[in-house]
Amino acid sequence: MPSVGEHPSVTEALPRLLDELDACGLRATFFVEGINCELYPDAVREIAARGHELGMHGWLHERWVALSDVVEREVIDRAMAAFASLDLAPRGFRPPGGMLNQGSSALLRAAGIEWCSPEGDEFGVRDGLAYVPFDWELVDAYHLMGAFSQLRASRGDGAAPLDAGAALSRLRAGVEAAARDARPTTVIMHPFLMLDPAWWGGVRSLLARIARLARDGGLSVGPGGALARESRAL
């Protein structure tokens, strides 16, 4: 078992991913739990130094919708303070588990968050926040992890996880559809899953396809914050 501060998702998968994004000419948003500012400060700084956007993802991947208002405020403040200790100020937030609470928007705005990315399909500005939502269909963990079996079944997919090839086909189809229909789409991938060589191959293939679509003008690609700013300008 990896020692604290030495998890291979950070020491092995993250550097490979950053290099691959550079090679493809892509910039992304990395949603990071606040605790990683303490465990992996150099890695968090490196993400920003390589030109990527940092977003806040709770403190320790708490199930966001289960938090009380008091605990939610404490978690937000603790996480934002951890980023500030590295002279970083994330402006985006993705709730672990995908769902916000009724009072989340006010708490996030008070902490300096300007946009959020919950589960959903309505891009735009509401309650003072720009929304850049995601669909589980374009989340690698949804297809690959056994922990999502119940969610998959509830959405009409098979309960069993997919292999790397099938998962790549699903994500690639979603990206192709977004390019064809010219609609905003969020793709979510997790570095810890990229420790599987088969899935890492799938990630490289998907990033290459996204980069090719961007070069050909069929897809506008960038961090979530850029899309949030466009939403505010409309």
Side-chain angles (χ1 to χ4, degrees):
M1 184 173 182
S3 300
V4 173
E6 298 180 2
H7 198 281
S9 63
V10 178
T11 62
E12 298 177 21
L14 178 61
R16 286 202 306 254
L17 176 58
L18 291 173
D19 287 346
E20 195 68 22
L21 288 168
D22 277 351
C24 291
L26 298 173
R27 293 295 175 262
T29 302
F30 284 75
F31 286 99
V32 176
E33 297 97 334
I35 192 173
N36 287 313
C37 295
E38 295 183 358
L39 296 178
Y40 302 99
D42 291 340
V44 175
R45 291 191 186 99
E46 178 71 6
I47 292 169
R50 298 281 283 267
H52 302 288
E53 180 181 33
L54 285 165
M56 191 263 288
H57 197 43
W59 174 255
L60 191 58
H61 209 275
E62 301 82 2
R63 184 170 174 265
W64 206 256
V65 74
L67 301 181
S68 67
D69 288 349
V70 172
V71 174
E72 184 177 6
R73 183 182 295 107
E74 291 173 348
V75 171
I76 292 171
D77 289 346
R78 186 180 186 186
M80 295 297 281
F83 281 101
S85 73
L86 303 182
D87 294 323
L88 298 168
R91 292 291 176 254
F93 170 72
R94 173 167 290 138
M99 297 178 65
L100 294 166
N101 294 306
Q102 186 173 0
S104 292
S105 58
L107 295 174
L108 293 168
R109 289 198 314 272
I113 296 296
E114 299 173 355
W115 66 278
C116 63
S117 183
E119 175 188 5
D121 57 10
E122 294 186 18
F123 288 76
V125 180
R126 301 186 297 279
D127 301 323
L129 288 177
Y131 280 73
V132 181
F134 73 88
D135 188 308
W136 289 108
E137 177 65 21
L138 285 177
V139 179
D140 58 357
Y142 170 78
H143 297 292
L144 293 167
M145 293 182 65
F148 287 86
S149 60
Q150 186 173 359
L151 178 59
R152 284 191 295 268
S154 72
R155 288 169 53 92
D157 290 321
L162 300 179
D163 62 26
L168 172 62
S169 294
R170 293 282 289 268
L171 267 68
R172 179 164 176 151
V175 168
E176 299 280 358
R180 182 182 63 248
D181 300 337
R183 56 179 170 79
T185 300
T186 300
V187 179
I188 301 177
M189 291 184 283
H190 295 78
F192 74 88
L193 292 173
M194 299 174 197
L195 292 168
D196 172 13
W199 181 237
W200 173 237
V203 169
R204 294 186 68 194
S205 174
L206 184 63
L207 292 177
R209 181 55 180 158
I210 290 171
R212 192 173 305 115
L213 287 168
R215 287 195 302 270
D216 294 344
L219 193 66
S220 177
V221 181
L227 184 53
R229 289 189 290 275
E230 290 179 10
S231 295
R232 288 188 179 277
L234 295 177

